Amino acid sequence: MKGIRRLAQHLDISIGTVSRALNGRPDVNEETRRRVLAAAKELGYVANQSGRSLRQGTTNIIGFMMQTGTEITGQGDTFFMSVFDGVQAVFARHKLDLVALLCSSQEDPADYLRRVVARGFADGVILSATQRHDPRVELLSERNIPFVTLGRTLTDAGQPWLDLDFEGMAQASIDRLVAHGHRRIAVTRPHDDVNLGYVFVERCREALAAHGLALDEDLIFRSTPNEAGGYQIGRDLLALDDRPTAIVLINETIAIGFYRALSEAGVKPGRDIAVIGRYSPHAQFLSPSLTCFRLSLRDLGVALAETLLATMPAFKHHYPHATANTLWPMELVEGASDALHIHQS
């Protein structure tokens, strides 16, 4: 109150008028609002956010929950930083702040979120790494906390979600490789119970079946979603007596380690094995160039933020047409890594 009282005295107007002007209330004329904002800047006024939050019953903070640890993010995360940029671009319109809720890979995600919720830390939450069955969804739903998930789950509380189109990636990859003559095709999936692994493998299985082919269980490789995981996949694949002639990599970072394992064995993508993966800023430096699926992560972040705000009474009128329950498309970028064609005898 000390700062806002000083502003009011400086402008010779009431504290209530200053408060309403600073909070963007419509019952303040534009000239007064302009004077208040100019004076606030001149005097270096900064609102007491904790006091305002207490009065309004809000924090103006949105939490984005993700897991940390090198076995999750590898040598550096590029995916989420680009998504964050899009999310915060939307939140800045409403003077909301994005805070990353970093759950250690050693802690149960539901326990971590339960602790965050108990503190009343955020007005809304974005969940990532959705599991096949995800108790976090039930927790937020029971507490009536607005949330959106980046990824689908079988745990259904009617929540809005956005997910990458892993089915589309699987279908396009399998169709492309089969058209090039490949019959023995390997695929990858995450090491844990994250739902995207189930979705991706099932569509690969269905796509192969449509061509009269089966997905060999020995050709489904699990790994952590990082460079080390890709390297281990490469080593395991090379150790097979009957190697596949093609592979589809589900995660954007495992291609780096996978290429390394092949290189050590003198095996070249595009010449000795066909490889299709996901784009990452690092993947553009691979040689031969990686045939991959890419998307605008910033645009995905914008859509996530707008979808969440569309569920919140204070903001939903701004986003009557927000995207929800949508598969986010990925574009195939052709490279040289899947140039290997198999000629059937």
Side-chain angles (χ1 to χ4, degrees):
M1 283 299 290
K2 183 177 181 181
I4 201 170
R5 181 178 292 113
R6 182 184 173 206
L7 264 178
Q9 291 172 346
H10 176 77
L11 294 165
D12 194 25
I13 56 180
S14 72
I15 291 176
T17 299
V18 171
S19 177
R20 291 196 300 276
L22 290 171
N23 285 293
R25 297 284 292 276
D27 56 346
V28 179
N29 70 60
E30 284 305 313
E31 175 59 22
T32 299
R33 190 190 318 281
R34 185 194 63 74
R35 287 182 60 214
V36 169
L37 294 177
K41 183 176 181 180
E42 176 187 348
L43 298 176
Y45 171 78
V46 178
N48 184 330
Q49 187 60 53
S50 61
R52 178 184 296 176
S53 296
L54 186 62
R55 292 190 299 274
Q56 297 177 346
T58 61
T59 66
N60 293 321
I61 289 174
I62 304 295
F64 193 121
M65 183 175 171
M66 58 181 288
Q67 285 190 283
T68 62
T70 55
E71 64 269 41
I72 303 296
T73 58
Q75 301 307 308
D77 188 279
T78 57
F79 182 95
F80 283 109
M81 293 308 296
S82 298
V83 172
F84 288 165
D85 184 50
V87 170
Q88 186 56 42
V90 174
F91 289 166
R93 303 170 192 164
H94 308 285
K95 302 190 185 314
L96 299 171
D97 291 313
L98 174 68
V99 172
L101 302 175
L102 305 178
C103 175
S104 165
S105 56
Q106 304 303 310
E107 183 173 6
D108 178 78
D111 289 343
Y112 173 85
L113 184 60
R114 196 171 291 110
R115 189 167 69 248
V116 170
V117 167
R119 291 173 176 163
F121 180 74
D123 297 335
V125 177
I126 301 173
L127 295 179
S128 65
T130 47
Q131 303 295 299
R132 188 70 163 171
H133 300 278
D134 203 320
R136 298 177 301 169
V137 168
E138 295 173 336
L139 171 63
L140 293 175
S141 178
E142 289 169 358
R143 300 295 182 89
N144 293 315
I145 297 173
F147 71 103
V148 61
T149 64
L150 175 53
R152 286 160 286 171
T153 170
L154 295 182
T155 306
D156 184 9
Q159 74 278 2
W161 54 263
L162 278 76
D163 201 0
L164 303 189
D165 186 9
F166 291 108
E167 290 99 331
M169 176 185 173
Q171 188 72 53
S173 298
I174 295 300
D175 288 347
R176 180 179 175 88
L177 292 170
V178 171
H180 291 174
H182 296 279
R183 298 294 179 266
R184 189 164 168 78
I185 301 171
V187 303
T188 69
R189 63 177 298 169
H191 67 298
D192 55 15
D193 202 44
V194 67
N195 192 59
L196 70 89
Y198 293 90
V199 168
F200 181 70
V201 170
E202 187 56 33
R203 180 53 68 88
C204 285
R205 197 186 307 278
E206 292 171 358
L208 284 165
H211 292 287
L213 302 171
L215 179 58
D216 190 329
E217 293 297 321
D218 292 339
L219 298 186
I220 302 174
F221 293 93
R222 287 179 175 263
S223 80
T224 51
N226 55 22
E227 300 87 347
Y231 182 79
Q232 189 58 52
I233 288 172
R235 295 290 297 269
D236 292 344
L237 181 148
L238 293 169
L240 293 175
D241 293 331
D242 185 11
R243 294 180 189 172
T245 61
I247 187 169
V248 187
L249 307 174
I250 184 62
N251 177 268
E252 66 272 10
T253 58
I254 60 178
I256 310 299
F258 185 75
Y259 263 55
R260 172 65 181 271
L262 297 188
S263 177
E264 289 179 354
V267 175
K268 185 176 180 179
R271 183 193 67 190
D272 306 308
I273 184 172
V275 181
I276 297 178
R278 293 245 320 270
Y279 172 84
S280 76
H282 304 111
Q284 63 183 314
F285 297 105
L286 292 174
S287 180
S289 58
L290 181 67
T291 293
C292 59
F293 289 82
R294 70 179 301 170
L295 70 152
S296 171
L297 295 175
R298 189 179 190 279
D299 288 346
L300 175 63
V302 167
L304 274 171
E306 292 183 349
T307 299
L308 175 62
L309 294 183
T311 72
M312 302 174 70
F315 307 105
K316 64 181 182 180
H317 62 283
H318 293 287
Y319 305 103
H321 306 296
T323 302
N325 299 6
T326 299
L327 294 179
W328 199 262
M330 294 186 278
E331 174 193 6
L332 177 66
V333 179
E334 295 191 2
S337 64
D338 69 335
L340 174 65
H341 286 50
I342 303 297
H343 301 289
Q344 303 298 321
S345 55

